[in-house]
Amino acid sequence: MAERTGEEKARLRVFREGSLDQGREEAWRALITAHAAAVERIERGLLEAGLPPLGWYDVLLELSAAPGCRLRMHELARAVVLSRSGLSRLVDRLEKAGLLRREPDPEDGRGSFAVLTNEGSRMRERMWPVYAKGIAEHFGAHVSDEEAAVLCRALGRVRDAARGS
Amino acid sequence: MAERTGEEKARLRVFREGSLDQGREEAWRALITAHAAAVERIERGLLEAGLPPLGWYDVLLELSAAPGCRLRMHELARAVVLSRSGLSRLVDRLEKAGLLRREPDPEDGRGSFAVLTNEGSRMRERMWPVYAKGIAEHFGAHVSDEEAAVLCRALGRVRDAARGS
DNA sequence: GTAAACTAGTTGCATATGCAACAATATCGC
DNA sequence: GCGATATTGTTGCATATGCAACTAGTTTAC
């Protein structure tokens, strides 16, 4: 492929400028494709089991881990990495399904809490085995203990930096 | 948090059943949140530079790396991890923007190629510096050389397994 | 104390995406 | 050969999501 040598040179130049070496570019591409492919499989598992999609689980998990099973909308949006409007609609759907309810914040008239209902808690418990099976099958099975530890640390730093905390 | 001990026990039970230990679950959660947060930042960078979104870059990159700058629709869908219908619409948009064109496959009357245009090639070159800067800033800067190598290997396996190849 | 600036959440609009159904073509079994 | 089956790509429909604009409430500056 002689026509790519010029292109390759251009790439290498940009790598230096942007401090992005080839190893990191490949790692990034592996990250986005692995994520897309694994999520697609796991979503399919949930769908086939007649369960709600992944995004619902994330919300239910964050709420059940929060003190009083409640979070302010903006905290929840941050936790699940969604825009405020996206979260507002997602909470609409969960509320309509009875899995959570909105409650005004008595200390801040602008804000409201999303509060997990018992039904939401039960749904999370129903979803978890299917989700866990998907993670184990499409992710865990291909990653060693040591690799999992490295992923956790490195991606934890990426997450914290990008989320701004 | 006394109310969570029972829940924790239930979790541990499921971990054993599904062969999913806590390290791998945490690694998975780090993966999805880091991905979401970093992609969000990078997309914002592209948007602010008046450039098309990430998905467009992926298509342009796959085409430019392919022999003859052309791929069958289903190959492209697989490469960028999108459903056939999703890809069909994405190619619609790129074609309308003049960045690629469809061509019938003379060897298979059902199929068609997506072929990169010169304009598409130029657009990819325009997008790359901004994209590379985003990757370097929101991903590369937080990952060591060794971690990048581990990510590449481990996530490469996850990708190949989930994509079925 | 009050006006200005900020923050929280929702909504209109545009865009993105998957599933199911479909039409066109190819391949397999025989 | 030829009918049954499978594959390719597109479309109708439903759902999901972000930005910008908006309302309502809070905080800051003076």
Side-chain angles (χ1 to χ4, degrees):
Chain A
M1 301 211 175
E3 76 277 16
R4 223 191 297 164
T5 48
E7 193 179 299
E8 285 295 333
K9 268 187 277 178
R11 259 201 204 175
L12 290 171
R13 179 163 38 73
V14 176
F15 282 157
R16 281 204 308 277
E17 284 167 9
S19 310
L20 180 63
D21 58 87
Q22 193 167 1
R24 284 183 175 77
E25 192 210 347
E26 284 173 15
W28 172 254
R29 294 212 67 78
L31 172 66
I32 55 180
T33 53
H35 173 272
V39 164
E40 193 261 338
R41 292 298 189 102
I42 293 172
E43 290 272 20
R44 187 174 303 269
L46 288 166
L47 183 70
E48 284 170 2
L51 292 169
L54 256 186
W56 289 37
Y57 184 85
D58 290 340
V59 169
L60 297 176
L61 176 63
E62 293 295 338
L63 289 180
S64 66
C69 290
R70 69 183 51 219
L71 282 173
R72 285 287 301 268
M73 295 292 283
H74 67 277
E75 295 173 312
L76 191 50
R78 190 183 130 81
V80 302
V81 192
L82 220 60
S83 67
R84 281 178 305 160
S85 62
L87 181 78
S88 189
R89 257 74 177 242
L90 179 53
V91 165
D92 285 348
R93 298 191 288 277
L94 285 161
E95 189 171 33
K96 179 150 37 165
L99 305 182
L100 58 76
R101 65 176 184 280
R102 281 174 166 93
E103 260 183 33
D105 183 342
E107 314 209 332
D108 186 339
R110 297 167 301 182
S112 39
F113 286 104
V115 188
L116 192 66
T117 62
N118 290 335
E119 206 178 333
S121 189
R122 280 196 300 275
M123 176 58 85
R124 193 184 76 74
E125 286 162 20
R126 276 213 303 147
M127 292 179 74
W128 173 243
V130 178
Y131 188 18
K133 184 163 173 291
I135 300 173
E137 210 170 308
H138 301 297
F139 173 75
H142 312 287
V143 172
S144 74
D145 286 348
E146 296 77 22
E147 288 168 342
V150 172
L151 287 175
C152 212
R153 264 188 296 121
L155 295 179
R157 286 197 302 273
V158 170
R159 182 233 304 131
D160 292 344
R163 214 158 56 170
S165 76
Chain B
M1 302 207 181
E3 76 278 17
R4 222 190 298 164
T5 48
E7 192 178 298
E8 285 295 334
K9 268 188 277 179
R11 256 200 204 176
L12 291 172
R13 181 164 37 72
V14 177
F15 281 157
R16 281 204 308 278
E17 285 166 9
S19 309
L20 180 64
D21 58 86
Q22 193 167 359
R24 284 183 175 77
E25 192 210 349
E26 283 173 16
W28 172 254
R29 295 211 66 79
L31 173 65
I32 56 179
T33 52
H35 173 272
V39 164
E40 192 262 338
R41 292 297 189 102
I42 293 172
E43 290 272 20
R44 186 175 302 270
L46 288 166
L47 183 69
E48 283 170 3
L51 292 169
L54 255 186
W56 289 36
Y57 184 85
D58 290 340
V59 169
L60 297 176
L61 176 63
E62 292 295 338
L63 288 180
S64 67
C69 291
R70 68 183 51 218
L71 283 173
R72 286 286 302 267
M73 295 291 285
H74 68 278
E75 295 173 312
L76 191 50
R78 191 182 129 82
V80 303
V81 193
L82 219 61
S83 68
R84 281 178 304 159
S85 61
L87 181 78
S88 190
R89 258 74 178 245
L90 179 53
V91 166
D92 284 348
R93 298 191 288 276
L94 285 161
E95 189 171 32
K96 179 151 33 164
L99 305 182
L100 58 76
R101 64 177 184 279
R102 282 174 167 91
E103 260 183 34
D105 183 343
E107 315 209 332
D108 186 339
R110 296 168 300 182
S112 39
F113 286 103
V115 188
L116 192 67
T117 62
N118 290 335
E119 205 178 335
S121 189
R122 280 196 300 276
M123 177 58 86
R124 193 184 76 73
E125 286 162 20
R126 275 213 304 148
M127 291 179 73
W128 173 244
V130 178
Y131 187 19
K133 183 162 173 291
I135 300 173
E137 209 170 307
H138 301 296
F139 173 76
H142 312 287
V143 172
S144 73
D145 286 347
E146 297 76 23
E147 288 168 341
V150 171
L151 287 175
C152 211
R153 266 189 294 121
L155 295 179
R157 285 197 303 274
V158 170
R159 182 233 304 131
D160 293 342
R163 215 159 56 170
S165 77

